[in-house]
Amino acid sequence: MPKGSTYDARWEQLASSGQNVHGEADFIAELNPSSVLDAGCGTGRVAIELVRRGINSVGVDLDPEMLETARRKAPSIEWVEADLQE
């Protein structure tokens, strides 16, 4: 199983058990931003939820496997492969 799918499975399991997996998105939404840069976005869990809530988001991550999963899940969101230190 690809790394991104394995990572997502963990969050899906938590959500299935009734856990709120959108705590970060809840916090950000309370700040009422018009846009967010999801730095270290992984498979896009937070950015996807923010877009679902009407907040424009761009995801950035160094790991191409994680971004591959994010792109598959939400092709309409901009996903950038980059090193945040640069």
Side-chain angles (χ1 to χ4, degrees):
M1 183 182 290
K3 182 177 16 176
S5 297
T6 302
Y7 181 81
D8 266 1
R10 176 177 160 241
W11 291 102
E12 289 169 11
Q13 181 180 20
L14 287 170
S16 296
S17 72
Q19 296 286 325
N20 176 11
V21 296
H22 297 300
E24 300 99 321
D26 293 341
F27 174 76
I28 292 167
E30 288 178 14
L31 300 172
N32 201 29
S34 59
S35 63
V36 169
L37 173 65
D38 185 358
C41 66
T43 61
R45 178 180 54 86
V46 175
I48 292 168
E49 179 62 18
L50 291 174
V51 168
R52 190 187 70 74
R53 297 179 188 204
I55 301 169
N56 293 325
S57 300
V58 172
V60 179
D61 204 284
L62 181 59
D63 189 320
E65 291 181 52
M66 299 291 255
L67 287 172
E68 180 182 322
T69 300
R71 288 182 180 117
R72 184 178 38 51
K73 290 170 34 181
S76 64
I77 297 176
E78 182 177 357
W79 305 106
V80 179
E81 184 180 336
D83 185 340
L84 295 172
Q85 294 181 59
E86 296 174 7

